[in-house]
C-alpha cells in the first residue's frame, strides 16, 4: 500500500502553482492508494481559496483523498467552509490491514493546536477497536517539537494526554503538518512524522518543497521524503544527517 502525505499547500498568496503542477504529475505516477492532506490547504480560509483548492485536488488520480483542516483553513470563519468543500470521515479503513484516523486540532483564530478531553476519549475508544491493524493517526498540528522551528507554543497544547492515548492503544504512525519542516521521531514501536510544505513559499529547514510517501508492506512501514522535482530518500536521513546551522 502507498499513502502520500501532502501538507500545508496554502492556496492563496503564498501558493506556488508551478510547484503544485509537478506534485500532481509525480504523485499520479505513484498510483497511491490514498492521499492524506494534513491541513492548511488554504492560506486565509477564504471561499475563493477553497474553490481553487478543490479544483486542484481533483486532479489527483487516487481511490481516496483524506483532507483535514489546519489553523489557516480556520481563519475568517473558514471552518464553516471546510466540510462543504472537503467532506471527510474521521475513521478510514483503507483495507483489511490499515486504518487511518483523523483528529481535528485547529481552533478558530488560534495558531496553537488542541485535541481536547472529549476527542481524546473518543480516540482511545476508537483505536481499541482495531487491535490487529496498522493504525495511523493524522492531525495538523505537530505533536512533538521539531528542530529549527522556534517556539513550541503552537504545538498540540494537550500533547501529553494525546501521547499517552497513542501509546496505550498501540498506534503505529502519527502524521502531522503545520511547521513546514520535514522530520521523523522514532520511539520504539511508534513513529511521529512531520511533513514539509508541499507548495507554499514558506519552506523551512530543508528549504525545498516536499511531501512524504508512506509504503506499507508485510505490516512494516517505510516513510520516504520526496523533494518536489528532486530526489526521494528515507525521511530518517534528514535526522541522521542533521547539522546545526551556525
Amino acid at each position: 500500500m502507498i499513502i502520500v502525505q501532502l501538507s500545508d499547500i496554502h492556496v492563496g498568496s503564498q501558493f506556488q502553482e508551478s510547484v503544485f503542477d509537478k506534485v500532481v504529475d509525480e504523485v499520479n505516477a505513484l498510483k497511491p492508494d490514498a492521499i492524506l492532506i494534513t491541513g492548511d490547504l488554504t492560506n486565509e480560509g477564504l471561499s475563493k481559496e477553497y474553490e481553487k483548492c478543490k479544483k486542484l485536488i481533483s486532479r489527483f488520480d487516487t481511490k481516496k483523498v483524506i483532507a483535514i483542516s489546519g489553523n489557516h483553513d480556520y481563519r475568517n470563519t473558514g471552518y464553516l467552509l471546510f466540510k462543504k468543500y472537503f467532506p471527510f470521515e474521521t475513521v478510514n479503513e483503507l483495507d483489511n490491514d490499515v486504518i487511518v484516523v483523523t483528529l481535528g486540532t485547529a481552533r478558530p483564530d488560534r495558531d496553537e493546536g488542541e485535541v481536547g478531553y472529549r476527542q481524546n476519549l473518543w480516540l482511545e475508544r476508537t483505536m481499541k477497536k482495531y487491535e490487529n491493524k496498522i493504525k495511523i493517526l493524522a492531525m495538523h498540528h505537530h505533536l512533538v517539537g521539531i528542530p529549527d522551528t522556534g517556539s513550541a507554543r503552537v504545538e498540540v497544547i494537550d500533547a501529553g494526554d494525546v501521547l499517552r492515548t497513542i501509546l496505550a492503544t498501540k498506534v503505529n504512525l502519527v502524521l502531522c503538518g503545520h511547521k513546514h519542516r520535514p522530520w521523523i521521531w522514532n520511539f520504539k514501536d511508534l513513529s511521529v512524522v512531520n511533513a514539509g510544505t508541499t507548495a507554499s513559499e514558506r519552506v523551512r529547514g530543508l528549504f525545498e518543497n516536499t511531501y512524504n510517501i508512506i509504503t506499507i508492506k508485510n505490516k512494516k512501514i517505510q516513510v520516504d521524503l520526496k523533494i518536489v522535482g528532486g530526489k526521494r530518500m528515507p525521511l530518517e536521513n534528514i535526522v541522521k544527517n542533521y547539522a546545526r546551522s551556525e
Side-chain angles (χ1 to χ4, degrees):
M1 173 174 288
I2 295 175
I3 302 170
V4 170
Q5 181 195 9
L6 309 179
S7 199
D8 298 85
I9 300 169
H10 287 279
V11 170
S13 59
Q14 301 172 10
F15 180 63
Q16 302 177 99
E17 192 152 359
S18 61
V19 173
F20 191 83
D21 289 342
K22 289 180 189 172
V23 173
V24 171
D25 290 341
E26 291 178 7
V27 170
N28 284 345
L30 290 169
K31 296 184 168 41
D33 297 278
I35 294 173
L36 181 54
I37 311 173
T38 47
D40 283 357
L41 285 76
T42 66
N43 199 51
E44 296 295 336
L46 302 175
S47 180
K48 64 180 182 180
E49 294 176 346
Y50 275 113
E51 286 174 13
K52 180 171 183 176
C53 191
K54 183 73 174 177
K55 288 176 184 173
L56 291 167
I57 299 302
S58 70
R59 293 168 58 194
F60 287 113
D61 182 17
T62 185
K63 298 172 194 170
K64 193 170 188 70
V65 174
I66 305 166
I68 56 180
S69 54
N71 56 301
H72 280 259
D73 300 315
Y74 263 45
R75 289 182 176 177
N76 303 304
T77 61
Y79 54 89
L80 299 175
L81 296 169
F82 190 86
K83 286 185 180 179
K84 171 187 172 184
Y85 286 96
F86 296 100
F88 64 95
E89 297 170 344
T90 52
V91 180
N92 303 267
E93 294 188 60
L94 299 187
D95 66 7
N96 291 330
D97 296 317
V98 180
I99 182 159
V100 175
V101 175
T102 66
L103 286 179
T105 60
R107 300 291 180 267
D109 297 315
R110 283 166 53 186
D111 286 333
E112 76 272 19
E114 182 180 7
V115 170
Y117 177 73
R118 287 184 180 84
Q119 195 174 199
N120 194 29
L121 283 178
W122 171 85
L123 176 65
E124 187 160 13
R125 287 196 305 269
T126 301
M127 286 301 190
K128 280 181 177 176
K129 295 176 186 175
Y130 301 100
E131 254 184 71
N132 299 315
K133 290 184 183 285
I134 295 285
K135 294 188 280 284
I136 299 172
L137 176 63
M139 65 185 77
H140 175 61
H141 288 82
H142 57 302
L143 194 62
V144 183
I146 313 161
D148 306 317
T149 61
S151 169
R153 286 179 294 175
V154 292
E155 65 192 12
V156 174
I157 60 174
D158 49 352
D161 297 309
V162 182
L163 277 166
R164 187 211 61 81
T165 297
I166 286 167
L167 293 171
T169 56
K170 297 184 168 75
V171 172
N172 305 97
L173 179 65
V174 178
L175 300 176
C176 308
H178 188 51
K179 292 298 272 185
H180 298 208
R181 172 65 159 120
W183 196 260
I184 184 169
W185 292 117
N186 287 314
F187 304 107
K188 199 176 177 183
D189 298 323
L190 170 69
S191 293
V192 179
V193 165
N194 297 278
T197 169
T198 297
S200 90
E201 295 174 338
R202 287 178 53 229
V203 292
R204 178 182 259 156
L206 198 64
F207 304 112
E208 294 183 86
N209 292 106
T210 64
Y211 55 92
N212 295 329
I213 302 168
I214 298 111
T215 306
I216 303 170
K217 187 175 182 181
N218 299 325
K219 295 208 168 183
K220 295 201 173 182
I221 302 170
Q222 170 66 34
V223 183
D224 289 342
L225 177 77
K226 179 65 175 69
I227 296 170
V228 178
K231 61 183 179 178
R232 173 176 174 176
M233 71 193 84
L235 184 53
E236 287 180 345
N237 286 6
I238 298 295
V239 179
K240 289 175 183 174
N241 301 324
Y242 178 79
R244 184 182 296 277
S245 56
E246 296 299 330

